[in-house]
Amino acid sequence: INQKGGVGKTTTTVNIGVALARAGHRVLLIDLDPQAHLTLHLGQDPGAGQLGTYELLTGSASFAKARRKAGQNLWLVGSSIDLAGAEVELVSVVGREVILRDLLDQHVGAGRDHHRPQYDYVLIDCPPSLGVLTLNGLCAAGEVFIPLQPHYLALQGLGKLLETISLVN
């Protein structure tokens, strides 16, 4: 995550995800950004009307229905511009910041066998903001990567971002 755009969030997510998949790990990528650049980068059309993160967060689809195969060992829950509306639609929903976490826990738990989990890695690409979408990503995550440009103002923003992560934790 990073509330600043253009710092490499999507590039980092897709490259780490694809590298892990090529190394034989099972990887799920989740595009939480309405710009849908992760979805586009993996060759999917965000305007094709497929189920994705918008439908997950608004309750009209499950992970099993929203995910699609994006390569060997690689699955994607894509995004579209519709996801921008989720910020407004979820304002009055109780527990709106943990929707993704709860759905992901159900999905991963439902596909678990006793020998091997469904995914080795789940990577979430967040939008350049600290709204409901990013909060969902934070609540679902066990670890956070913060791509950062090496200059003074970026470091100022990092302090606020770390405070937010601490609050969510």
Side-chain angles (χ1 to χ4, degrees), residues 39 62 101 111 117 157 165:
T39 303
S62 64
R101 180 198 69 192
I165 292 168

Side-chain angles (χ1 to χ4, degrees), residues 141-165:
E143 297 180 50
V144 177
F145 284 91
I146 305 173
L148 193 65
Q149 293 171 320
H151 60 77
Y152 178 75
L153 293 176
L155 289 174
Q156 293 298 102
L158 176 63
K160 294 294 182 197
L161 190 52
L162 292 173
E163 286 177 26
T164 302
I165 292 168

Side-chain angles (χ1 to χ4, degrees), residues 58-79:
T58 58
S60 60
S62 64
F63 264 101
K65 290 183 179 177
R67 77 172 187 161
R68 50 198 149 186
K69 190 88 165 146
Q72 186 173 353
N73 297 320
L74 188 65
W75 291 266
L76 168 70
V77 177
S79 182

Side-chain angles (χ1 to χ4, degrees), residues 42-111:
L42 291 171
Q44 305 288 324
D45 180 2
Q50 294 182 301
L51 300 176
T53 48
Y54 171 79
E55 289 78 12
L56 272 179
L57 294 175
T58 58
S60 60
S62 64
F63 264 101
K65 290 183 179 177
R67 77 172 187 161
R68 50 198 149 186
K69 190 88 165 146
Q72 186 173 353
N73 297 320
L74 188 65
W75 291 266
L76 168 70
V77 177
S79 182
S80 69
I81 193 64
D82 294 343
L83 190 55
E87 292 270 358
V88 175
E89 292 176 42
L90 295 174
V91 161
S92 61
V93 174
V94 175
R96 65 187 167 272
E97 65 282 343
V98 294
I99 294 170
L100 182 65
R101 180 198 69 192
D102 293 348
L103 289 170
L104 187 58
D105 286 349
Q106 289 171 13
H107 176 64
V108 171

